[in-house]
Amino acid sequence: QVNLVESGGGSVQAGGSLRLSCVASGYVYSGNCMAWFRQTPGNQREGVASVHTGSDVIVYADSVKGRFTISHTDAGNTVFLQMDTLKPEDTAMYYCASGSGAGGRCPPLVASDFGYWGQGTQVTVSS
């Protein structure tokens, strides 16, 4: 069992920055996958970024490449999402997720491949 708690959401103007944090507790180990997803009302959950906490292989969605940075602590129990140059279309509920990382790589950024989820933190970007 893994428990995930996100923090750091808020409201910013376009062009601003926010840093999300996700603290994992329970069965946490170096070598699993941590990811960020986001969701707006009426839409499916969209993968944003993932990191394998053992190999440090990182994947970003095309929509956030060059603007968002995912990182984690050495212990692998906290993952961050630095979001810069935010746009109104980044407005969403952001969720932290955890999944298995067999072979040193995370699964594709598909929600069904991640078994544990946090409660979400809201990010609102105004124009």
Side-chain angles (χ1 to χ4, degrees):
Q1 182 72 24
V2 178
N3 297 310
L4 303 171
V5 179
E6 305 98 333
S7 62
S11 297
V12 295
Q13 290 191 327
S17 298
L18 283 173
R19 179 177 167 91
L20 305 184
S21 299
C22 172
V23 178
S25 60
Y27 185 56
V28 179
Y29 58 97
S30 178
N32 69 333
C33 289
M34 300 293 289
W36 289 95
F37 286 75
R38 64 188 182 186
Q39 188 172 25
T40 53
N43 293 306
Q44 290 187 336
R45 204 161 286 191
E46 172 194 18
V48 175
S50 68
V51 59
H52 190 282
T53 59
S55 67
D56 283 328
V57 173
I58 289 173
V59 174
Y60 292 104
D62 288 343
S63 58
V64 306
K65 281 181 182 176
R67 300 188 299 120
F68 290 11
T69 304
I70 190 171
S71 61
H72 65 92
T73 57
D74 289 342
N77 64 337
T78 304
V79 63
F80 307 97
L81 186 68
Q82 177 67 40
M83 305 186 295
D84 299 316
T85 320
L86 282 161
K87 304 175 181 180
E89 51 264 43
D90 294 319
T91 295
M93 184 72 78
Y94 282 71
Y95 296 91
C96 178
S98 177
S100 64
R105 285 186 168 273
C106 291
L109 283 168
V110 175
S112 58
D113 287 332
F114 290 81
Y116 299 99
W117 294 87
Q119 82 289 350
T121 185
Q122 178 67 37
V123 171
T124 302
V125 185
S126 59
S127 58

